[in-house]
């Protein structure tokens, strides 16, 4: 990205410090943050430089959602079997554009998105956040990613479902699947380690995969300078994964104090996704969610805030994630609202900026206003440190979204 951008008369929100500067400025050159300061900006001879007068508004780093599924644009999973990959991708790009307009300049897809989607966004063929993808998640036969009905006796060799997961049973199959996903550019590997709400035939407390299988996934990830994240709710599965070397836990609604301590001991990350259960409970049925899936929501919804409180109080590295599917994605920012019952605004903002960047291996490159970082930022009316609702009402409060130094919204 060439050219320069100057934002003046703005308060800069630095997540690292959890504080606003006095009125100041930020300059981006060739897509990177080149300089920041207080007071009046220095003069420039660049006639092509775009200038935004923020008029006292707040500039902060673009938001990061570390748990999305761009390809899962419906809760009627039975319909997806008839969708062509091109149709699924077109729908996904529509949602990617909406995520950008909500203020998310980076998302981590944890099941489905691939290198072609990331490349299309990077080249500007479609509008969307920076896409950090993990390819297909690994599931055991009958696991969370195996969406076949009980009467379906087909034996898929590998990839199954709505572009979300692939079956891998046994150490050798897990190694081969992991290598294949990394071959295709995956930035992480997701292992489906327990049952889930959307899967038809398992319990959320079940443990899927053995210690040896998880260890194989972790070893392959380490060999490729990548990491393993696990879908898991119950301490039985989470503890197994953490001891095997998994770096991140998705959901974790049923964690206890012992698991919290293990997260700390292993310097691991936790990505709660509270809003998805709240929205499924409220709107899931009207959007086609099955009765079986709907019946599982209570198992995890009620425990979610308590798990977040344990983790936050202990100092676990907690990252922002939404995990919303289909039409429920409109509520992506409401994860802030739920967490605000427990977590102060400064920590909430860090979870969606600096802490998330650290999980993604992009510390210092995104989620910050530091010099040298990608110029991904938002300009909002109000102070999110004083009122987190400034971030949850983009139609009212979001003035500009800047990605790579260009104003995209």
């Amino acid at each position: 990205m060439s050219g320069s951008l100057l934002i003046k008369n703005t308060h800069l929100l630095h997540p690292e410090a959890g504080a606003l500067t006095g009125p100041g400025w930020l300059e981006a050159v060739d897509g990177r943050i080149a300089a920041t300061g207080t007071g009046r900006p220095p003069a420039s001879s660049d006639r092509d430089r775009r200038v935004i007068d923020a008029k006292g508004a707040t500039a902060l780093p673009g938001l990061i959602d570390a748990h999305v599924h761009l390809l899962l644009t419906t809760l009627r999973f039975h319909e997806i079997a008839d969708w062509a990959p091109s149709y699924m991708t077109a729908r996904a790009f529509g949602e990617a554009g909406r995520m950008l307009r909500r203020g998310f300049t980076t998302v981590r897809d944890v099941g489905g998105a691939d290198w072609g989607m990331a490349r299309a966004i990077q080249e500007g063929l479609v509008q969307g956040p920076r896409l950090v993808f993990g390819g297909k998640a690994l599931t055991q036969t009958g696991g969370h990613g195996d969406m076949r009905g009980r009467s379906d006796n087909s034996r898929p060799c590998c990839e199954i479902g709505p572009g979300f997961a692939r079956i891998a049973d046994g150490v050798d199959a897990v190694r081969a699947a992991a290598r294949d996903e990394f071959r295709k550019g995956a930035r992480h590997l997701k292992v489906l380690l327990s049952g889930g709400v959307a899967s038809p035939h398992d319990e959320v407390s079940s443990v899927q995969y053995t210690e040896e299988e998880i260890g194989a996934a972790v070893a392959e990830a380490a060999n490729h300078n990548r990491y393993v994240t696990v879908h898991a709710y119950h301490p039985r599965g989470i503890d197994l994964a953490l001891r095997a070397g998994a770096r991140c836990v998705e959901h974790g609604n049923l964690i206890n104090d012992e698991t919290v301590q293990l997260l700390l001991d292993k310097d691991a990350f936790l990505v709660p996704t509270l809003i998805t259960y709240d929205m499924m409970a409220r709107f899931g049925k009207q959007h086609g969610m099955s009765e079986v899936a709907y019946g599982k929501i209570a198992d995890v919804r009620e425990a979610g805030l308590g798990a977040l409180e344990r983790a936050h109080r202990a100092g676990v590295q907690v990252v922002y994630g939404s995990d919303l599917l289909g039409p429920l994605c409109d509520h992506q920012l409401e994860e802030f609202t739920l967490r605000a019952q427990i977590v102060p605004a400064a920590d909430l903002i860090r979870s969606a900026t600096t802490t998330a960047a650290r999980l993604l291996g992009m510390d210092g490159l995104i989620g910050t206003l530091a010099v040298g970082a990608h110029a991904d930022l938002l300009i909002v009316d109000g102070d999110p440190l004083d009122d987190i609702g400034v971030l949850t009402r983009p139609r009212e409060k979001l003035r500009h979204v800047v990605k790579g130094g260009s104003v995209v919204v």
Side-chain angles (χ1 to χ4, degrees):
M1 182 63 64
S2 60
S4 62
L5 170 71
L6 174 68
I7 302 171
K8 64 180 183 178
N9 296 326
T10 183
H11 296 273
L12 301 178
L13 195 164
H14 293 280
E16 301 90 333
L20 290 180
T21 67
W25 53 273
L26 179 148
E27 184 174 28
V29 177
D30 295 336
R32 300 275 185 153
I33 297 175
T36 64
T38 56
R40 298 181 62 182
S44 172
S45 59
D46 184 356
R47 295 182 179 180
D48 295 326
R49 179 172 66 172
R50 177 169 181 175
V51 178
I52 296 177
D53 187 344
K55 299 180 180 178
T58 299
L60 71 153
L63 302 175
I64 303 167
D65 188 333
H67 192 124
V68 305
H69 294 283
L70 284 179
L71 282 172
L72 302 185
T73 56
T74 181
L75 291 172
R76 302 178 188 273
F77 297 122
H78 62 280
E79 297 178 353
I80 297 179
D82 292 328
W83 289 3
S86 54
Y87 177 67
M88 291 180 65
T89 302
R91 289 175 61 105
F93 283 145
E95 186 54 51
R98 289 187 286 274
M99 288 183 178
L100 186 64
R101 291 190 288 276
R102 295 183 196 113
F104 291 96
T105 54
T106 300
V107 297
R108 182 183 66 149
D109 189 287
V110 288
D114 61 18
W115 70 273
M117 297 173 67
R119 179 177 178 179
I121 292 174
Q122 182 179 5
E123 292 181 359
L125 301 178
V126 293
Q127 196 175 67
R130 296 179 186 277
L131 177 56
V132 179
F133 68 94
K136 293 185 182 295
L138 304 193
T139 182
Q140 68 174 38
T141 296
H144 177 56
D146 187 346
M147 307 299 285
R148 293 174 296 168
R150 293 188 187 279
S151 61
D152 184 350
N153 292 315
S154 62
R155 294 180 178 272
C157 67
C158 48
E159 299 182 4
I160 62 169
F164 164 63
R166 60 189 293 168
I167 290 176
D169 291 313
V171 169
D172 289 343
V174 167
R175 284 190 180 278
R179 290 170 180 174
D180 193 40
E181 293 304 324
F182 292 132
R183 175 188 68 84
K184 293 184 288 188
R187 297 283 297 275
H188 62 269
L189 183 69
K190 184 180 180 183
V191 177
L192 303 176
L193 196 59
S194 79
V197 171
S199 42
H201 308 306
D202 53 20
E203 299 177 2
V204 294
S205 62
S206 65
V207 177
Q208 300 169 4
Y209 280 122
T210 65
E211 183 177 356
E212 292 76 18
E213 289 169 314
I214 302 166
V218 169
E220 288 301 325
N223 288 345
H224 289 82
N225 298 316
R226 300 293 187 261
Y227 66 93
V228 167
T229 188
V230 295
H231 158 102
Y233 293 96
H234 195 278
R236 288 197 305 153
I238 296 172
D239 294 358
L240 184 69
L242 291 173
R243 292 192 178 102
R247 184 167 181 246
C248 183
V249 174
E250 312 296 318
H251 314 305
N253 296 55
L254 305 177
I255 58 174
N256 55 26
D257 291 339
E258 289 74 18
T259 300
V260 167
Q261 186 59 51
L262 194 55
L263 284 161
L264 292 170
D265 293 343
K266 298 296 184 179
D267 196 29
F269 294 81
L270 176 67
V271 186
T273 58
L274 305 181
I275 191 60
T276 190
Y277 314 110
D278 190 64
M279 291 298 114
M280 284 179 178
R282 293 168 60 184
F283 304 115
K285 281 188 177 180
Q286 72 186 61
H287 289 298
M289 176 176 266
S290 71
E291 289 291 339
V292 173
Y294 190 81
K296 295 182 182 182
I297 296 173
D299 294 340
V300 293
R301 183 188 184 196
E302 296 177 1
L305 275 176
L308 173 62
E309 184 173 20
R310 288 189 188 91
H312 172 70
R313 185 174 62 242
V316 172
Q317 300 178 95
V318 179
V319 177
Y320 192 95
S322 62
D323 193 25
L324 292 163
L325 307 180
L328 302 183
C329 286
D330 289 344
H331 304 279
Q332 187 178 15
L333 289 160
E334 291 304 313
E335 181 78 11
F336 282 118
T337 305
L338 287 180
R339 294 193 191 190
Q341 300 175 58
I342 303 295
V343 181
D347 292 327
L348 277 177
I349 294 169
R350 277 189 282 267
S351 75
T353 53
T354 52
T355 309
R358 194 158 58 248
L359 167 61
L360 271 56
M362 301 181 72
D363 194 16
L365 294 176
I366 59 174
T368 179
L369 299 183
V371 171
H374 291 293
D376 298 349
L377 51 101
L378 313 179
I379 301 176
V380 297
D381 285 323
D383 178 3
L385 293 169
D386 182 60
D387 175 15
I388 200 66
V390 169
L391 299 180
T392 65
R393 304 193 301 276
R395 292 183 180 179
E396 301 173 32
K397 300 294 184 179
L398 181 58
R399 288 195 194 176
H400 299 285
V401 178
V402 178
K403 179 188 168 192
S406 294
V407 179
V408 292
V409 178

